Amino acid sequence: MTIEWVCKHHSDLGLEQLYAILKLRSEVFVVEQRCAYLDPDGQDLDGDTCHLMGWDGDQLVAYLRLLDPESQGGDVVIGRVLTAPAGRGKGLGHEMMEQALKQAQRRWPEVPIYLSAQAHLQGYYGRYGFVVAGEEYLEDDIPHIGMRRS
């Protein structure tokens, strides 16, 4: 599997890319994780939001979004992190996190990065310098914890 990593400002996304993003997010978050919620939350096309995509040919297999610090109260916020079922177990999550940190540093140097992690992934994100920032909470009946990287 050869992955092409592409990070685009929302204003540079093509319709096919946006459709692939929304489709994969629905497949993973709404169908697979059985969380009935409105995924398009108004932030995908807002401010300086950027979308990091991992493509295997014409298939989107990994994705996350970067919300800009101005719109998020001072932190870059990583969210909607996912790997497609076909891409799991191949190290894509690690590649994607490395790409996300590079993109955040390039676009917003020296700005802290925040994410809301599923609680069982604290160790995973800890490898990238994230530390717990707050108390555990439930989001869509899944335990989450805020984590920040300074």
Side-chain angles (χ1 to χ4, degrees):
M1 181 178 279
T2 303
I3 302 302
E4 178 187 3
W5 293 101
V6 177
C7 190
K8 288 190 172 184
H9 186 273
H10 68 79
S11 62
D12 296 325
L13 287 174
L15 288 176
E16 294 81 10
Q17 290 170 322
L18 181 58
Y19 181 82
I21 289 167
L22 295 174
K23 181 177 183 284
L24 183 57
R25 285 184 359 195
S26 290
E27 287 172 3
V28 172
F29 298 133
V30 178
V31 177
E32 180 183 335
Q33 293 183 358
R34 296 182 179 148
C35 297
Y37 73 105
L38 184 60
D39 175 56
D41 60 1
Q43 297 185 76
D44 291 313
L45 306 176
D46 192 34
D48 279 329
T49 296
C50 293
H51 300 269
L52 178 63
M53 302 164 279
W55 294 91
D56 182 17
D58 64 352
Q59 292 295 312
L60 181 63
V61 294
Y63 169 83
L64 61 74
R65 73 178 178 191
L66 298 164
L67 302 175
D68 70 274
E70 188 173 320
S71 71
Q72 299 300 305
D75 291 348
V76 175
V77 175
I78 293 176
R80 301 297 202 261
V81 180
L82 64 85
T83 303
R88 294 183 189 152
K90 299 173 182 164
L92 290 182
H94 293 291
E95 285 183 46
M96 181 167 51
M97 190 53 53
E98 289 168 7
Q99 291 288 329
L101 296 175
K102 285 179 192 174
Q103 290 294 329
Q105 177 62 27
R106 186 173 78 71
R107 294 168 190 271
W108 305 285
E110 307 303 318
V111 175
I113 303 169
Y114 178 87
L115 56 81
S116 177
Q118 289 187 4
H120 72 277
L121 295 173
Q122 287 180 52
Y124 172 81
Y125 289 114
R127 292 185 232 174
Y128 297 97
F130 287 88
V131 296
V132 170
E135 300 293 320
E136 191 172 299
Y137 59 94
L138 285 179
E139 184 175 311
D140 299 314
D141 289 327
I142 300 169
H144 280 73
I145 190 100
M147 299 186 78
R148 180 172 282 110
R149 181 179 194 261
S150 299

